[in-house]
Amino acid sequence: MRREAILLACLALGCATDPPVSPLRFEGFPGAPIEPGLFPLRDGTRWTFGDEQGKTLSLAITAEDGKYVLTGQTQGEAEIRISDGFLEILYEGKLVDRLLKMEGAAGDRWQAAGATYMAFGYEEIDVLGKKTRALVVAADRPPLRDLYWFAKDLGWVRLRTERTGKTIRDAKLLSFDAGAER
């Protein structure tokens, strides 16, 4: 009876309908090693994502003047690099994201640019019609949580944003171009 009352109250008050993603549901949490090769930093790499509302997001990496530039973000062009063991994004030379720890284990936490990050563990998901193992990383900037799924040799394969437990964006990979090795 108490649970039914809570559910009815949530429906009436507009509580979140999606449960927040928890590290406890992922394989290898805590302690599974972060696998190498989860992000291809190559000239010409392109990702196109789509969500259930039909919106698309295209991201691309180009090599310019000895650095890699990420385009497709709403903020405009950004530098993307691997530095100090992390995949980082910089706008106008300022660090804004440390999306992925290149070595470590599920359960590791780190902070950067006002966010707390955590490697949640691995999930097998459908990527371009094929079951693929992906590392899930969360970036918490209350009340928002961004989740990134990284798969070997593909990089990002899913992007999700939650606000207090409710999904506000869940974009899955629609196409991928690996670009050129340097």
Side-chain angles (χ1 to χ4, degrees):
M1 180 66 177
R2 183 168 191 255
R3 182 178 175 180
E4 290 171 355
I6 291 170
L7 288 173
L8 287 173
C10 275
L11 287 172
L13 298 173
C15 295
T17 55
D18 297 332
V21 174
S22 163
L24 298 176
R25 72 173 250 220
F26 294 104
E27 174 193 331
F29 179 81
I34 294 175
E35 298 168 357
L38 292 177
F39 198 89
L41 195 53
R42 293 188 295 260
D43 185 31
T45 303
R46 296 182 184 285
W47 301 265
T48 300
F49 297 90
D51 64 19
E52 51 282 336
Q53 287 87 28
K55 294 179 185 172
T56 61
L57 169 68
S58 294
L59 301 172
I61 295 176
T62 54
E64 295 178 12
D65 301 324
K67 60 184 176 182
Y68 292 101
V69 175
L70 177 66
T71 56
Q73 298 278 346
T74 55
Q75 296 92 339
E77 285 189 357
E79 180 182 355
I80 186 167
R81 69 182 185 190
I82 295 174
S83 179
D84 297 324
F86 293 92
L87 176 68
E88 298 179 335
I89 295 180
L90 296 91
Y91 285 104
E92 298 175 354
K94 182 179 174 191
L95 179 70
V96 295
D97 270 315
R98 246 190 191 157
L99 301 175
L100 176 64
K101 189 173 186 181
M102 304 307 283
E103 294 181 12
D108 285 359
R109 293 177 182 263
W110 61 95
Q111 294 188 329
T116 300
Y117 299 82
M118 182 177 183
F120 274 15
Y122 292 89
E123 181 175 29
E124 193 161 299
I125 61 172
D126 179 50
V127 177
L128 302 174
K130 182 174 139 184
K131 287 289 183 189
T132 304
R133 180 178 160 95
L135 176 70
V136 182
V137 175
D140 288 315
R141 294 174 186 88
L144 295 178
R145 168 178 276 170
D146 289 316
L147 294 134
Y148 308 98
W149 279 254
F150 295 95
K152 186 172 176 75
D153 299 325
L154 295 172
W156 293 297
V157 293
R158 185 174 175 193
L159 308 169
R160 178 175 166 157
T161 300
E162 299 175 348
R163 181 186 308 266
T164 58
K166 182 178 170 119
T167 302
I168 58 175
R169 175 186 75 175
D170 193 3
K172 296 175 182 170
L173 190 64
L174 299 175
S175 68
F176 173 75
D177 182 348
E181 294 252 2
R182 269 184 143 187

